Amino acid sequence: DSGVTQTPKHLITATGQRVTLRCSPRSGDLSVYWYQQSLDQGLQFLIQYYNGEERAKGNILERFSAQQFPDLHSELNLSSLELGDSALYFCASSVADGAQYFGPGTRLTVT
Amino acid sequence: KNEVEQSPQNLTAQEGEFITINCSYSVGISALHWLQQHPGGGIVSLFMLSSGKKKHGRLIATINIQEKHSSLHITASHPRDSAVYICAVLTSAGNKLTFGGGTRVLVKP
């Protein structure tokens, strides 16, 4: 158990819908990272927050947004969902830029 | 060309064999991670290293910064080592992790 929690574990929704994925980092970790793992693209970095502020941005689509709240939990919002958004979404946390601890992931299926 | 290349893509070993997975990268990095992903999907961070060598149990990770190359070794492999092993680099230019394509390891009893 990494200490990082993600909810929900599984999510099935239809194209065009909007979903929110939630991540609670390990106690004391200020950095939260979001990753997408799809069958054809592998693991890709989406975005990083550090203590509530956006720190680094990767291959995140404009339809996706994220935020980190004062209690350090983070949410990833995915809107206007397409079939190609079906993937595993991982959250990871770290103290600063150190070793990252991954959550169990949320499996999103868009039908 | 991908910034992070792993080899081999797939590897099958007999229980007890020594396994080596290689990772080459083409960008400047501040650190390199080795991750393990089990069939259920969960990802575990095995090592983070920026120089030299680290050992944890039967796992050994080495990195050669000059040659931009890292290896992950599994000694006395066991069927429970069957997983996908992923190399990821933390680029010097930013804080993002860039991932290799993974090596799928199957250890047969």
Side-chain angles (χ1 to χ4, degrees):
Chain A
D1 183 358
S2 67
V4 179
T5 60
Q6 287 187 248
T7 56
K9 277 185 86 166
H10 301 275
L11 197 49
I12 301 174
T13 189
T15 54
Q17 295 298 304
R18 182 179 190 275
V19 297
T20 297
L21 312 184
R22 184 188 166 102
C23 168
S24 292
R26 290 187 324 155
S27 177
D29 285 358
L30 299 178
S31 273
V32 170
Y33 308 78
W34 285 100
Y35 298 95
Q36 180 194 55
Q37 186 178 38
S38 57
L39 277 174
D40 55 343
Q41 297 270 346
L43 265 167
Q44 289 197 92
F45 167 71
L46 294 178
I47 197 163
Q48 179 201 2
Y49 278 82
Y50 178 81
N51 203 20
E53 301 286 327
E54 184 184 301
R55 177 106 172 227
K57 213 164 185 174
N59 303 321
I60 188 165
L61 299 173
E62 281 193 19
R63 300 183 286 109
F64 296 1
S65 65
Q67 52 184 327
Q68 186 179 27
F69 295 87
D71 67 352
L72 300 177
H73 91 271
S74 178
E75 292 181 355
L76 179 67
N77 301 296
L78 315 176
S79 61
S80 304
L81 285 168
E82 302 175 0
L83 294 176
D85 298 327
S86 296
L88 261 172
Y89 291 85
F90 288 100
C91 160
S93 75
S94 68
V95 173
D97 292 329
Q100 295 185 22
Y101 295 85
F102 284 76
T106 293
R107 186 174 296 278
L108 173 67
T109 303
V110 182
T111 61
Chain B
K1 190 178 188 298
N2 292 335
E3 292 177 328
V4 183
E5 297 275 358
Q6 281 185 242
S7 63
Q9 279 190 303
N10 294 283
L11 186 158
T12 301
Q14 287 298 131
E15 183 172 356
E17 286 184 345
F18 183 84
I19 290 171
T20 295
I21 302 166
N22 296 298
C23 174
S24 296
Y25 52 92
S26 56
V27 293
I29 70 167
S30 56
L32 182 143
H33 293 250
W34 280 103
L35 309 170
Q36 180 192 54
Q37 186 170 29
H38 279 284
I43 294 176
V44 174
S45 178
L46 298 174
F47 296 103
M48 186 180 83
L49 63 165
S50 53
S51 66
K53 177 178 171 178
K54 285 190 176 180
K55 185 175 191 289
H56 186 255
R58 295 179 295 104
L59 301 177
I60 303 167
T62 63
I63 188 168
N64 185 317
I65 297 293
Q66 286 73 32
E67 294 187 5
K68 296 189 172 178
H69 181 269
S70 176
S71 293
L72 177 69
H73 306 286
I74 306 175
T75 62
S77 60
H78 190 277
R80 66 174 173 266
D81 297 325
S82 299
V84 175
Y85 293 83
I86 302 167
C87 167
V89 300
L90 191 64
T91 59
S92 306
N95 297 321
K96 62 171 199 159
L97 274 182
T98 302
F99 297 88
T103 296
R104 187 173 299 274
V105 171
L106 174 64
V107 182
K108 294 184 175 179

